[in-house]
């Protein structure tokens, strides 16, 4: 049995995964599968908080994310993969928890403030309540551990506040989940900003070796270096950040760094080598990815079966919450309709 506890984490299904996702989260999730009971959520409702105007891409994006997760080593035999929009319990619990959350508190969440600054339109109610839906995701499965990037810490803090407030008002039901921060430094994009799909600076898991090579050859390097014989800077140079992460031959990396600092190796040569290293590193993953992508119906079936496994757990928590909040009547109806509740149906309606 996996003794360490229960994990829930997920991604917004915004499209194919890139190297930043691989190094920043997926590789950690893969390792955690050995120690924890894991739930991995395809948060397609969260995707709609910003991308609601493109329904034609929503389905394919969710499947693409699932394929990349599986190719990276998420193992459906050991972990539960589920689709948020197929589990109405997430939206229902979010509504109930929203009663315990003030608008002012949500307006102070840093991710919300940033998004509002970036958006040219009025923020939607859905965007404001994004972290409440995320709290529902986590609390439905009574997760105690949530592996996330640092930008998600405010959402975890809010989740803990909601859990605490719920327990105070209605009696103990929820753990206060802890964030598990990724130990790996964030991988920069090819232009040295944060790697992000909308910045055009991402290398995708599904890119071909040739696309990967082209992106590497166009990478930002040391801007102070004009000629290949000028002494170069290795720190803050994404080409060497990538070398550190993807080249298992430490000796070669140290040698390249030393020669680069002395102006004895050019950017083109280092990038050439990096594209080989990166393509070799990604080859097995890409092989699995191609095989998985050839059978999308199997991916859908797999997600459906993970979602089916998650449903009774989510339903049980939702019914417990309804009961505690005084919605016993509604809870009774919900239990009888789904026919899955372990509660005996009793009372004047049965
Ligand atoms: N907000 C997370 C992100 O943008 C995705 C997410 C949705 C999530 N629900 C979650 C992460 C629950 C952890 C737990 O990356």
């Amino acid at each position: 049995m996996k003794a360490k506890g229960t994990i829930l984490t997920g991604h917004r299904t915004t499209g194919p995964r890139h190297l930043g996702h691989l190094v920043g989260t997926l590789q950690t999730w893969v390792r955690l599968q050995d120690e924890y009971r894991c739930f991995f959520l395809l948060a397609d409702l969260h995707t709609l908080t910003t991308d609601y105007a493109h329904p034609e891409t929503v389905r394919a994006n969710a499947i693409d994310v699932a394929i990349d997760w599986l190719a990276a080593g998420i193992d459906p035999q050991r972990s539960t993969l589920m689709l948020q929009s197929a589990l109405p319990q997430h939206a229902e619990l979010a509504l109930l928890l929203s009663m315990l959350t003030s608008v002012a508190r949500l307006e102070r969440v840093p991710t919300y403030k940033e998004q509002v600054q970036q958006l040219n339109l009025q923020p939607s109610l859905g965007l404001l309540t994004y972290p409440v839906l995320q709290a529902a995701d986590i609390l439905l499965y009574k997760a105690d551990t949530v592996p996330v990037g640092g930008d998600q810490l405010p959402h975890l803090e809010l989740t803990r506040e909601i859990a605490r407030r719920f327990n105070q008002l209605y009696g103990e039901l929820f753990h206060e989940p802890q964030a598990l921060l990724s130990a790996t430094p964030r991988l920069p994009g090819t232009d040295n900003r944060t790697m992000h799909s909308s910045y055009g600076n991402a290398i995708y898991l599904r890119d071909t070796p040739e696309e990967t090579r082209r992106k590497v050859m166009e990478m930002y390097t040391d801007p102070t270096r004009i000629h290949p014989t000028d002494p170069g800077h290795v720190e803050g140079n994404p080409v060497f950040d990538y070398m550190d992460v993807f080249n298992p031959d430490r000796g070669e990396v140290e040698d390249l760094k030393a020669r680069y600092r002395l102006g004895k190796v050019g950017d083109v040569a280092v990038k050439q080598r990096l594209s080989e290293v990166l393509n070799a590193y990604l080859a097995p993953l890409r092989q699995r990815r191609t095989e998985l992508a050839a059978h999308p119906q199997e991916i859908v079936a797999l997600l459906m079966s993970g979602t089916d496994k998650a449903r009774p757990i989510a339903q049980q928590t939702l019914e417990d919450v309804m009961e505690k909040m005084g919605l016993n009547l509604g809870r009774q109806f919900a239990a009888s309709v789904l026919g899955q509740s372990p509660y005996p149906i009793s009372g004047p309606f049965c």
Side-chain angles (χ1 to χ4, degrees):
M1 198 47 211
K2 302 174 187 179
K4 275 201 165 168
T6 301
I7 275 181
L8 182 133
T9 189
H11 280 166
R12 297 176 71 207
T13 53
T14 49
R17 302 294 84 185
H18 52 57
L19 293 183
H21 297 122
L22 180 69
V23 173
T25 56
L26 290 174
Q27 290 180 338
T28 312
W29 298 3
V30 168
R31 280 197 302 278
L32 290 168
Q33 295 181 113
D34 297 330
E35 298 165 49
Y36 291 83
R37 177 180 181 226
C38 291
F39 293 93
F40 296 118
L41 180 72
L42 295 160
D44 57 346
L45 295 176
H46 277 114
T47 308
L48 296 193
T49 57
T50 50
D51 294 349
Y52 58 87
H54 308 286
E56 64 287 350
T57 61
V58 175
R59 178 193 172 99
N61 280 349
I63 295 173
D64 276 342
V65 172
I67 290 174
D68 285 343
W69 283 5
L70 294 165
I74 299 296
D75 175 4
Q77 301 299 324
R78 291 187 290 160
S79 303
T80 307
L81 275 76
M82 65 247 193
L83 184 67
Q84 192 182 33
S85 62
L87 293 159
Q89 293 83 356
H90 289 246
E92 285 185 58
L93 183 60
L95 179 78
L96 296 175
L97 299 180
S98 77
M99 309 303 169
L100 312 185
T101 314
S102 79
V103 172
R105 175 68 182 85
L106 291 174
E107 284 172 341
R108 285 198 301 271
V109 172
T111 43
Y112 175 75
K113 289 199 288 194
E114 273 164 37
Q115 293 251 7
V116 169
Q117 275 169 9
Q118 282 170 18
L119 287 174
N120 289 323
L121 31 111
Q122 284 291 320
S124 68
L125 185 58
L127 186 66
L128 181 69
T129 59
Y130 182 119
V132 182
L133 180 58
Q134 186 164 346
D137 298 340
I138 297 166
L139 297 177
L140 271 179
Y141 304 91
K142 311 251 175 86
D144 44 51
T145 308
V146 185
V148 281
D151 61 320
Q152 297 292 308
L153 287 181
H155 297 173
L156 257 290
E157 190 50 46
L158 184 78
T159 304
R160 278 200 295 278
E161 281 172 34
I162 292 177
R164 216 174 299 146
R165 180 142 173 74
F166 186 97
N167 291 344
Q168 274 163 7
L169 282 168
Y170 309 110
E172 283 294 313
L173 182 64
F174 294 124
H175 304 283
E176 287 183 34
Q178 297 298 321
L180 188 66
L181 267 187
S182 168
T184 24
R186 204 183 252 267
L187 191 76
T190 53
D191 60 359
N192 211 25
R193 294 187 291 169
T194 304
M195 189 179 286
H196 200 287
S197 312
S198 61
Y199 294 169
N201 66 356
I203 297 176
Y204 294 96
L205 304 185
R206 72 161 180 200
D207 283 349
T208 62
E210 188 40 43
E211 279 165 332
T212 306
R213 205 188 69 83
R214 186 180 51 74
K215 289 180 181 181
V216 169
M217 296 314 286
E218 286 168 6
M219 262 173 99
Y220 171 101
T221 52
D222 177 359
T224 65
R225 199 176 194 225
I226 316 288
H227 308 290
T229 49
D230 295 345
H233 296 88
V234 162
E235 283 72 33
N237 183 337
V239 175
F240 284 98
D241 292 336
Y242 282 40
M243 272 292 184
D244 280 334
V245 174
F246 299 108
N247 192 344
D249 184 345
R250 308 312 314 159
E252 186 192 12
V253 176
E254 289 316 313
D255 176 59
L256 279 171
K257 285 183 180 175
R259 288 197 285 137
Y260 193 83
R261 289 196 176 101
L262 293 170
K264 294 205 161 138
V265 61
D267 281 298
V268 173
V270 181
K271 287 177 173 178
Q272 190 66 47
R273 184 67 195 122
L274 175 61
S275 69
E276 288 163 14
V277 161
L278 192 53
N279 280 327
Y281 183 96
L282 292 172
L285 187 153
R286 284 172 168 160
Q287 172 71 30
R288 283 195 296 277
R289 207 196 168 283
T290 309
E291 286 158 17
L292 290 159
H295 306 286
Q297 283 319 314
E298 285 175 22
I299 307 294
V300 172
L302 195 144
L303 289 180
M304 206 187 268
S305 102
T307 303
D308 285 346
K309 252 177 35 198
R311 187 172 290 111
I313 304 169
Q315 180 64 20
Q316 170 76 65
T317 306
L318 179 67
E319 288 179 26
D320 289 347
V321 168
M322 291 177 82
E323 174 85 32
K324 283 190 178 285
M325 291 181 86
L327 299 166
N328 337 41
L329 189 57
R331 196 274 286 159
Q332 199 171 25
F333 289 7
S336 78
V337 169
L338 278 156
Q340 287 168 327
S341 173
Y343 286 108
I345 306 294
S346 58
F349 294 96
C350 306

